Amino acid sequence: MKKEILLSVVSVLSLPIVYAAQQKKPNILCIVCEDISPRLKCFGDSVAKTPNLDRCATESIRYRRMYTTVGVSSPSRAALITGMYPTAIGANYMRNMSPPEYLPEDITPYEVVLPDSIKCFTELMRKNGYYCTNNSKTDYQFTSPLTAWDEDGVNAHWKNRPHNMPFYSVFNLFITHESQVWERNHLPLAVNPDDIVVPPYFPDDTIVRHDMAVMYSNIFEMDRQFQRLYDELEKSGELDNTIIIWYSDNGGPLPMEKRSIYEKGMLVPFMIRFPDAYRAGQIDERMCMFPDIPATILSLAGIEPPSYMQGKPFLGKYETTPRKYVYGARNRMDEQIDKQASIRDKRYRLVINYNPEQSNYRPNKYRLQMPMMQRILHLLKVDSLSSSQMRFFVSPRSQEEFYDLEKDPYELSNQISNPIYKISIDSLRGELHKWLDSECKNWSGSEKESIEQMWPKGIQPKLKAPIITTDSKGIKISSPDKKVSFAYQINGKGFSEKHWFLYDDNKRLKLKKGDRLSVIAVRAGMKNSKMTEYIK
């Protein structure tokens, strides 16, 4: 029986090869850190201590124009697992599964229900023979579906895969997260606070310099953690057949950076290392966005991205032409609401403020734990902030903002009324509205309206039990519900007792007499179905 089961599950390994230089499917390892802008030496920051990533950069392609959709985790990770803009799938509100104290009074915790046909892209990887693991953060705005990963959790590891099975694995490095600026504030520093270049939007004092030094020290520790994963891969003998992708899940952790749709919140460092040294050491200035990452991973694996995906592959078999624009959007950040949209080309950024009566600063409870945030608010109270630092707090603000990033990299001088830029402003405004109208059809509605569409009357929808039928070709699984996925086990296990196989609609299962098939229907944001069992 064991041989028969394995044939039905892993026969897809004979599918076409991935990228030109290889004769077999490459492994793909993603190492994702949290909350850093391009503050690495290999990205031009002279203060940063990142020797391991600097060395890897000489073997990698560095992308200097990779943007998330908003400078915060959950919407960004929704894009990373679906290849969609969060604004298109109802996932643009920060952490809708938060406890009630981190939500507005009229919003109760809920999960995003993905629209019909849209699934975690890792299901495509699994159906094409990849063993997919995630260690260990998800934060997708919905509970990670049972079908998304072969392994998901603190013990998930590519080493656990069956022999010779290619892997796609994600490891998340938490050490650079915003919270670690105050949690690790008492530890020895890896950089001298006096060496730090304080950007003009921050006060230059000992508290700010110390928090920034903690941030750089956390990056230094992340660099060491990255190297441990790299060394583990090399010692295993898998380095020569593994594509390594490293990046941050959003921009910097500091006030005015995280949660924003400006450069300091959306721009992240990103690099990719090929085992055959393809384009090693090159810097790529192509405009890229987070929805492009899953599309590109599929492309590198030789899998055509599904037609619904809004992401555009920038490498691999299905590489597309470069983007002209990247887009940003934000709505609610924890308990605070501030609706903004932005567009950026290679030189300019346009921002629309839908709540111009408010300032950019919103008193986020979580961020108030950071010493430098407390310090900035004290200086605000005693009227001791410069004009550049005050921009965060000015209300009302302009309904539109326009920045020339070649001349104004910190986005401090709003040029929306400057006639010199009128043609560029009109062009970007038109492109932004075109994107919102065509790609983000739910953007105009409220969060409560979005919830009602996904959870009618505030109740999470539940899937019906799967239906198992048989014919001369084998066993088929179906459901009364639309666009569901199926997780199954045979005799109480997949590759292990905790593992669940992913059912492929294009194949029929084969069982031996006496085998027990257990099936659960799954769809992101919905409650799993009851289990259906069949014994041959």
Side-chain angles (χ1 to χ4, degrees):
M1 181 195 73
K2 183 176 180 182
K3 181 178 179 181
E4 189 171 335
I5 296 170
L6 286 176
L7 283 172
S8 71
V9 175
V10 302
S11 60
V12 290
L13 296 182
S14 60
L15 289 173
I17 61 172
V18 191
Y19 81 101
Q22 294 185 301
Q23 298 304 309
K24 60 178 181 177
K25 284 179 175 291
N27 306 314
I28 302 174
L29 173 64
C30 277
I31 302 175
V32 185
C33 68
E34 303 215 20
D35 298 357
I36 71 167
S37 297
R39 291 181 169 120
L40 292 88
K41 189 151 289 186
C42 55
F43 279 81
D45 191 317
S46 60
V47 177
K49 292 186 177 180
T50 50
N52 298 305
L53 285 163
D54 295 346
R55 183 167 51 252
C56 185
T58 65
E59 304 169 351
S60 305
I61 311 169
R62 277 168 285 171
Y63 286 80
R64 297 206 302 185
R65 295 179 183 269
M66 173 63 76
Y67 292 85
T68 181
T69 56
V70 62
V72 77
S73 177
S74 288
S76 299
R77 289 175 183 267
L80 290 172
I81 196 64
T82 63
M84 302 292 291
Y85 300 118
T87 41
I89 57 175
N92 205 53
Y93 303 92
M94 173 55 182
R95 201 159 286 151
N96 40 263
M97 296 166 66
S98 291
E101 60 265 29
Y102 286 105
L103 295 170
E105 290 183 2
D106 60 342
I107 300 295
T108 56
Y110 67 96
E111 295 185 38
V112 165
V113 177
L114 291 181
D116 285 356
S117 303
I118 298 173
K119 299 183 180 183
C120 297
F121 86 95
T122 49
E123 287 194 13
L124 274 174
M125 299 290 286
R126 294 186 68 191
K127 286 183 178 180
N128 281 271
Y130 274 83
Y131 191 82
C132 297
T133 72
N134 177 55
N135 185 327
S136 60
K137 190 170 183 178
T138 52
D139 206 16
Y140 305 138
Q141 307 280 46
F142 48 81
T143 300
S144 183
L146 187 60
T147 49
W149 303 97
D150 289 282
E151 294 181 50
D152 182 7
V154 294
N155 296 316
H157 203 293
W158 52 265
K159 284 186 174 181
N160 301 330
R161 74 198 192 284
H163 182 63
N164 281 337
M165 196 171 181
F167 64 80
Y168 168 65
S169 289
V170 177
F171 286 84
N172 193 78
L173 306 181
F174 185 76
I175 192 72
T176 51
H177 186 266
E178 172 188 28
S179 62
Q180 301 308 290
V181 175
W182 60 83
E183 293 287 348
R184 294 170 56 84
N185 201 270
H186 61 289
L187 297 178
L189 299 173
V191 301
N192 185 341
D194 293 337
D195 294 338
I196 290 172
V197 178
V198 179
Y201 50 84
F202 291 145
D204 188 350
D205 64 18
T206 56
I207 294 176
V208 171
R209 283 183 174 273
H210 186 268
D211 274 10
M212 292 191 69
V214 174
M215 174 194 69
Y216 276 110
S217 300
N218 294 343
I219 292 172
F220 173 69
E221 179 57 32
M222 178 273 296
D223 181 78
R224 295 169 63 181
Q225 294 179 4
F226 164 86
Q227 190 61 34
R228 284 197 286 271
L229 291 170
Y230 184 101
D231 291 344
E232 182 178 39
L233 184 71
E234 186 172 30
K235 289 175 183 176
S236 73
E238 294 290 348
L239 183 64
D240 290 341
N241 190 47
T242 301
I243 297 170
I244 300 175
I245 303 172
W246 173 87
Y247 60 98
S248 173
D249 70 341
N250 50 254
L254 304 178
M256 309 177 208
E257 297 178 350
K258 188 168 180 179
R259 301 175 183 85
S260 83
I261 56 168
Y262 299 90
E263 198 79 355
K264 46 193 174 284
M266 291 178 60
L267 179 65
V268 303
F270 181 99
M271 60 187 181
I272 180 166
R273 178 193 185 275
F274 288 91
D276 65 351
Y278 174 65
R279 294 179 61 189
Q282 288 189 17
I283 293 175
D284 197 311
E285 299 288 354
R286 176 176 178 151
M287 304 281 283
C288 301
M289 287 191 69
F290 270 26
D292 303 338
I293 294 175
T296 299
I297 290 169
L298 289 171
S299 179
L300 290 171
I303 305 166
E304 185 174 9
S307 58
Y308 68 73
M309 245 187 206
Q310 293 166 317
K312 300 175 179 295
F314 52 86
L315 285 167
K317 182 177 179 181
Y318 297 97
E319 179 178 346
T320 59
T321 55
R323 289 178 174 273
K324 290 183 178 179
Y325 311 101
V326 295
Y327 307 93
R330 77 174 200 161
N331 297 73
R332 175 182 53 76
M333 295 290 116
D334 298 321
E335 73 276 19
Q336 296 291 337
I337 297 171
D338 185 16
K339 187 173 181 179
Q340 294 177 295
S342 74
I343 183 172
R344 191 207 197 285
D345 62 15
K346 287 197 171 183
R347 178 168 177 176
Y348 304 117
R349 181 188 304 281
L350 175 75
V351 177
I352 298 177
N353 293 309
Y354 291 83
N355 304 106
E357 73 283 357
Q358 299 179 166
S359 68
N360 277 347
Y361 171 72
R362 309 302 300 153
N364 183 283
K365 294 176 186 175
Y366 192 74
R367 183 174 54 200
L368 288 172
Q369 299 175 86
M370 191 178 296
M372 68 181 288
M373 187 70 252
Q374 298 168 19
R375 175 61 173 167
I376 291 169
L377 291 176
H378 170 74
L379 293 174
L380 173 69
K381 186 177 180 180
V382 298
D383 196 23
S384 295
L385 294 177
S386 70
S387 58
S388 295
Q389 295 147 21
M390 276 298 300
R391 293 190 79 256
F392 195 37
F393 300 98
V394 170
S395 64
R397 58 190 162 171
S398 174
Q399 190 159 2
E400 290 184 315
E401 303 169 45
F402 182 82
Y403 300 100
D404 183 340
L405 281 97
E406 282 187 8
K407 298 179 178 179
D408 179 23
Y410 293 117
E411 296 169 300
L412 297 175
S413 180
N414 183 9
Q415 299 294 317
I416 194 65
S417 300
N418 190 335
I420 294 175
Y421 294 109
K422 184 179 186 309
I423 293 175
S424 296
I425 290 170
D426 289 345
S427 175
L428 286 183
R429 185 187 292 123
E431 292 294 337
L432 178 54
H433 284 294
K434 184 190 301 182
W435 175 70
L436 292 171
D437 292 342
S438 63
E439 303 286 355
C440 310
K441 296 186 184 300
N442 293 327
W443 173 251
S444 60
S446 68
E447 184 172 17
K448 292 187 75 172
E449 290 171 329
S450 178
I451 295 171
E452 181 61 27
Q453 289 179 6
M454 296 184 289
W455 286 35
K457 298 182 179 180
I459 299 172
Q460 184 177 21
K462 182 174 181 178
L463 295 171
K464 298 179 178 66
I467 298 169
I468 299 174
T469 57
T470 63
D471 59 23
S472 59
K473 296 179 181 179
I475 295 171
K476 182 178 180 180
I477 303 171
S478 60
S479 171
D481 296 305
K482 293 180 179 179
K483 307 300 181 182
V484 301
S485 300
F486 301 103
Y488 73 94
Q489 292 184 327
I490 299 175
N491 297 326
K493 64 180 182 179
F495 289 130
S496 66
E497 290 185 359
K498 293 183 178 180
H499 179 265
W500 289 78
F501 294 123
L502 171 65
Y503 176 69
D504 189 336
D505 297 339
N506 297 316
K507 299 180 181 297
R508 297 294 177 91
L509 299 179
K510 303 289 186 180
L511 297 181
K512 295 179 71 172
K513 188 171 179 61
D515 284 348
R516 183 180 81 256
L517 175 66
S518 305
V519 185
I520 298 174
V522 175
R523 182 173 165 187
M526 293 186 175
K527 287 184 180 179
N528 291 350
S529 74
K530 291 182 178 180
M531 185 185 296
T532 297
E533 293 200 328
Y534 166 82
I535 298 177
K536 183 171 181 180

